[in-house]
Structure formats: structure tokens, C-alpha cells
Amino acid sequence: MNSRVRHALKLTWKVISQTLQLAGMILSLAVCWTGATYISRYLYRYVGTPSAYFAQLIDVILGVTIFIICLSVLALYFRHKELALLAAIIDAMRRISKGDFSVKLDFPTRQSEFQTIVESINEMAGELNRMETMRQDFISNVSHEIQSPLTSIQGFTAALRNSALPVDKRNHYLDIIERESRRLSQMSENLLKLSSLESDRSDFETSRFRVDRQWRTVVLASEPQWLAKELQVDLELEKVEVEGVEDLLGQVWVNLLHNSIKFTPNGGRIGISLTKANDNAVIRISDSGIGIGEKDLPHLFERFYKADRSRNRSDGGSGLGLSIVKRIVDIHRGDVGVTSAPEEGTSFTVRIPCHWADGPEDRRKKG
């Protein structure tokens, strides 16, 4: 349901509610007046009947008095409910300020102003609770990822203190320490990059460039890696220009290509195609690698998620590369998808609009 329909429904309900309230007041006044008439007639049996004018005046005064008394009783009743609701709202705000984001107000109310406040507090508590869960998961994941290389570095550093250690083992341990140190450095760099990309304080300078030329540069720069595994890299690149942040999109292609190289066995194949469709640059990176299980696909772009943790750890992965890919593609108002099956390879598809689309989420500076 869109915002216009919701707004129209709210206005309709407000008009109906006010009409019903007016009708209720008129009906209540009529009931009070009728009651006053019967009461005055009962009293006239003992005090005598006055003139028609005074009898009508007495009925009016008595009816209005009864009506005011009834309104006062109702006001006290609803005032008590309002105070109870306000107390519940204040208590909820106090709990939220102390870090308790499990707050949920279930106070029934038909008063629109209070209903809006209750719904806003529930929505705010839910969002804060979600953010707190993400923060705790992030800290847990970072701690876990950092702890593993630190443990390796500490263990092999202690082993190197053994003066009788053979030279080949000493060099092997030093290689491990160097690799784990590089992994920590890469993880720190990726975390800083992801934090910068997710911050709305970043300004992105855009330019027009050829994606096909950019891809050829990336493939040539990665030649030592794919040649070392004797991989066949097939390129089918149309001439496509896009407007975007060239360095950021270059990071996307590097991450996706390195993933394919990493998880494709020796002698395998990597196919890269670039076409233009509906004013979008469509890039597909397919490989004949080990593939990804169906249960892992929905989580593939989550931070620190690894489809095969033991394999990724041995290859130095941190589970941040695809998160960076997703964020950069989102910045360009594009989308990225993946299809895969175990032992059948993986295919990533990236769609990037050829023209930079301004939006309210990011502050940008056009070149």
C-alpha cells in the first residue's frame, strides 16, 4: 500500500471518527435532556407544576447539568487511561536510553496522536535492536577473524625461539608468520574501505570511462595468478561506456576475478563477458570452480560470511570482499547476483547503469 492510499485512508477515518463523535455528543445530550424531563416531571408531583416557560427552562438547566456531569466522569476515566499510557511511554523511553531495545508497547488506543507515538517508539526500538545485533555480530566476527592469525603468529614465534630448529622449518614458520601478517593487514584495509563506503560522509567524483578497457587492464594485472594455475581466461567485451567512480568499479572487478581464480582448480576456465542492455552495462564472470551450495547463496554478500570457512582461511580470505562488491554496486545504483551449484562453477552478474543516477542516500560530486 503506497503512501497516498495510506494518507487517504487516514483522512477518511479521521472524518468518520469526528462525525461519530459529534453524533455521539448530540445523542448524549438528547438522552440527558430526556432524562432531565422525566426527573422534573417526577418532582412536579410533589412541588407543583410551574408555568410552561419555567418548566422548559428547568428542563434545559437540568439536562445540561446532567450532560456536564457525565462528560466530567468520562473525562476522568479517559484522563486516567491517558496518564497510564504516558507513564508507559516514558518508561519505554527510559529503558531505551539505558540500552534495552526489546521494548514493545502494546497499549491499545484509538487516539491518533498517541497511536502515532506508540508506533514510532516500537519502530525505533526495533531498528535500534537490529543495529545492536549487527554491532555485536560484527564485533564477534572481527574478534574471531583476528584471533586466528594472532594465535598462529604467537605460536610460530614461540617455536622460532628454539635454537635447534632446522633452517627449512624456520623458514617455513617465517613464511606462515608473514602470510598471517599480510592477512591481518588486508583485513584492516578492507574494514576501513567498507566503513568508508557505508558512511554517507563520502564524496564520490565520477567520470565517463570504457568498462571494456578497464577489464582488460584488470585481467592483465592478474596474469601471474591465473597463469600460475594454468587457467584459460576468455574475454568477450563490447565497447561500453559508463559514468561512475572508476577506482571503485575497478575494485569490484578485481575482487570478483580474484575470487574466480582462487576457487577454480588448476587447468580450469574463467569466462568474462561485457554487453550493453537497456542502458546498463552487464558484466558476467563465470568459472568452472568448486561452486557454492544453495544454502550459502542468500548470505554470500554478508560481511565475514564464508561458504567454506576452512578453505577460505587457508587461502587468506576474510569474508569481506563480496561485501565491498555489493556496497560499491549499490552506490552506483546497480545490482549484483550470483548463480552456482557445487562442482558446477559459479557465475556473478553485475549490472551498472551507464549514466550516474543521483539519489538522496549518498552525497556526490560530479566530475
Side-chain angles (χ1 to χ4, degrees):
M1 186 182 298
N2 58 40
S3 58
R4 289 185 177 180
V5 174
R6 286 197 299 268
H7 183 65
L9 289 175
K10 284 184 178 180
L11 286 178
T12 303
W13 171 249
K14 187 174 182 180
V15 171
I16 293 174
S17 177
Q18 291 178 349
T19 304
L20 291 175
Q21 289 177 8
L22 179 61
M25 290 185 65
I26 294 174
L27 181 61
S28 300
L29 184 58
V31 170
C32 292
W33 204 323
T34 303
T37 301
Y38 281 102
I39 292 173
S40 61
R41 287 180 180 178
Y42 178 78
L43 293 176
Y44 294 158
R45 295 178 183 177
Y46 302 96
V47 298
T49 302
S51 64
Y53 170 77
F54 283 104
Q56 187 175 6
L57 183 62
I58 292 172
D59 289 345
V60 170
I61 294 173
L62 188 57
V64 171
T65 302
I66 295 174
F67 182 70
I68 292 174
I69 292 173
C70 291
L71 285 181
S72 301
V73 173
L74 288 174
L76 288 174
Y77 172 74
F78 285 110
R79 179 64 175 171
H80 174 73
K81 293 187 67 176
E82 287 181 3
L83 290 175
L85 179 57
L86 287 174
I89 291 174
I90 293 171
D91 179 65
M93 297 296 293
R94 187 179 293 114
R95 289 168 59 189
I96 290 174
S97 68
K98 293 181 179 179
D100 180 8
F101 304 132
S102 61
V103 173
K104 183 173 177 60
L105 291 173
D106 292 323
F107 207 103
T109 175
R110 294 183 178 275
Q111 301 179 32
S112 58
E113 62 273 15
F114 285 114
Q115 186 65 33
T116 302
I117 293 173
V118 168
E119 291 174 355
S120 299
I121 289 176
N122 287 338
E123 183 179 355
M124 177 180 66
E127 285 299 313
L128 289 173
N129 190 42
R130 186 180 65 84
M131 293 178 62
E132 177 64 15
T133 301
M134 291 176 60
R135 185 186 69 84
Q136 292 177 358
D137 290 344
F138 179 78
I139 293 174
S140 175
N141 287 328
V142 170
S143 301
H144 178 76
E145 294 296 332
I146 290 178
Q147 186 61 37
S148 176
L150 285 179
T151 301
S152 297
I153 291 172
Q154 291 171 353
F156 288 113
T157 301
L160 288 173
R161 295 182 184 276
N162 183 2
S163 58
L165 194 69
V167 176
D168 57 340
K169 281 194 174 182
R170 184 180 298 274
N171 290 335
H172 177 62
Y173 292 167
L174 287 171
D175 288 340
I176 294 176
I177 291 173
E178 183 182 8
R179 185 171 65 247
E180 294 297 286
S181 299
R182 283 200 304 268
R183 181 177 162 212
L184 280 174
S185 176
Q186 184 65 39
M187 186 187 306
S188 174
E189 182 180 342
N190 285 339
L191 284 171
L192 289 174
K193 182 181 288 292
L194 193 58
S195 176
S196 174
L197 291 172
E198 291 181 343
S199 171
D200 60 359
R201 296 188 298 271
S202 299
D203 289 329
F204 303 112
E205 185 172 355
T206 66
S207 61
R208 290 201 68 80
F209 59 92
R210 289 263 298 272
V211 183
D212 54 303
R213 290 176 180 172
Q214 190 180 39
W215 257 110
R216 288 190 177 91
T217 301
V218 170
V219 172
L220 287 175
S222 305
E223 187 175 10
Q225 287 88 356
W226 53 266
L227 279 182
K229 299 184 71 172
E230 299 179 348
L231 301 178
Q232 177 184 342
V233 179
D234 300 326
L235 294 177
E236 295 182 8
L237 306 177
E238 294 182 6
K239 295 180 181 180
V240 180
E241 268 195 354
V242 300
E243 182 181 0
V245 188
E246 188 170 0
D247 290 341
L248 291 184
L249 286 178
Q251 183 70 53
V252 171
W253 316 143
V254 168
N255 286 3
L256 292 177
L257 181 58
H258 284 187
N259 260 12
S260 292
I261 295 172
K262 182 187 299 184
F263 299 122
T264 300
N266 292 354
R269 185 193 66 83
I270 296 176
I272 301 166
S273 68
L274 169 62
T275 57
K276 185 176 181 180
N278 298 325
D279 209 24
N280 288 309
V282 182
I283 303 96
R284 289 186 175 86
I285 306 98
S286 303
D287 61 56
S288 58
I290 58 178
I292 304 167
E294 184 178 355
K295 67 180 181 64
D296 295 312
L297 290 178
H299 309 285
L300 208 57
F301 296 100
E302 295 177 5
R303 288 179 294 184
F304 295 107
Y305 188 82
K306 299 179 182 180
D308 186 336
R309 291 185 172 270
S310 61
R311 182 190 69 224
N312 283 353
R313 179 159 287 123
S314 66
D315 287 331
S318 63
L320 290 171
L322 291 179
S323 297
I324 293 174
V325 166
K326 181 69 166 62
R327 181 54 186 154
I328 293 174
V329 172
D330 287 344
I331 287 173
H332 286 78
R333 296 299 188 266
D335 63 79
V336 55
V338 57
T339 57
S340 183
E343 309 305 328
E344 294 183 9
T346 301
S347 178
F348 285 91
T349 302
V350 181
R351 288 179 173 83
I352 300 293
C354 292
H355 300 283
W356 184 264
D358 288 326
E361 296 179 5
D362 302 289
R363 300 175 186 174
R364 302 181 178 91
K365 179 175 57 180
K366 283 195 173 185

